Amino acid sequence: MPGARLQAPAAPDDGAPHQGSSCAQGARAPSGFQSPPPTLMGGPSSAKGKRGRWLGSLKPPRTSKREPGAAVVTMGDIRNAGSAEKAALAKRCLRDLARGAASVSVPGSGLGDSFGVQLAEVLCASGGQPSPVKMLELERNMLGEPTARGLGRALASASSRLQVLELGSNALGDGGARALADGLQASGCLQQLDVHSNGIGPLGAEHLAGALAGHQHVRALHLGENRIGPNGARMLIPNPWS
């Protein structure tokens, strides 16, 4: 059925995060953020490699107020900017992130893996303290497996408080999906993952399905516009959250 919505019964939210997770250290969802019920986004058309349908939204409301003192790095669309301008903006973004930005929004900037790897390194360099970063919007940035490996390590870090990770329209492939899955298994905070249009096939879907099986925190996954095929879809659908 086109546009089918796959949901699991909503698990009781007792506020108890995974053991060892930094979420246990007073981490809160961004102000105004409301977690949707568990949803596999994309629908059957995704299994055929066609354009998937949005069955919900991964983005917190744009009008929501930020927590007091929370910093936000936003660069906007700079794909057509010169290399010097891109480098300067990327440097400023990484600097502000290191200084405690709570979210990073750089969609459509085409910054590439050099930026993505450095961003992941900053996320991992918290010195054991809980990271303030809760949301990363990195769509359409020419990011591949190297960035995914770095972000996987960041997700697995005990200091991670990342709740929303948007990586749509990049080039992660099956290798990138596996790297994210490895990090996701150790993450006790991530609630929403967007990897639509990333060249992910059945193998990548298998890795994500394994990581999400029994996961208590992930509420939404967007896999539209990937060629996961019927086999990949079957691996995802039996999971308790789907």
Side-chain angles (χ1 to χ4, degrees), residues 30-36 57-66 135 137 164 166 192:
S31 178
F33 179 88
Q34 294 183 346
S35 298
S57 175
L58 289 181
K59 296 181 174 61
R62 293 293 185 184
T63 57
S64 63
K65 295 182 180 179
R66 303 197 302 271
M135 180 170 67
E137 294 180 301
V164 179
E166 301 189 358
Q192 301 183 19

Side-chain angles (χ1 to χ4, degrees), residues 5-8 36-41 55-56 219-222 241-242:
R5 185 182 182 95
L6 306 176
Q7 291 186 337
T39 305
L40 173 62
M41 300 178 182
L55 302 181
R219 300 295 185 89
L221 169 67
H222 186 196
W241 58 269
S242 62

Side-chain angles (χ1 to χ4, degrees), residues 154-221:
L155 284 172
S157 170
S159 62
S160 175
R161 293 169 63 188
L162 190 62
Q163 297 174 357
V164 179
L165 179 56
E166 301 189 358
L167 290 164
S169 298
N170 282 296
L172 303 182
D174 287 337
R178 178 174 185 174
L180 290 175
D182 289 343
L184 187 57
Q185 286 182 316
S187 171
C189 291
L190 193 70
Q191 297 178 10
Q192 301 183 19
L193 177 62
D194 178 358
V195 288
H196 79 271
S197 188
N198 263 285
I200 297 173
L203 183 59
E206 180 180 1
H207 291 307
L208 289 171
L212 292 168
H215 204 287
Q216 299 299 310
H217 291 272
V218 174
R219 300 295 185 89
L221 169 67

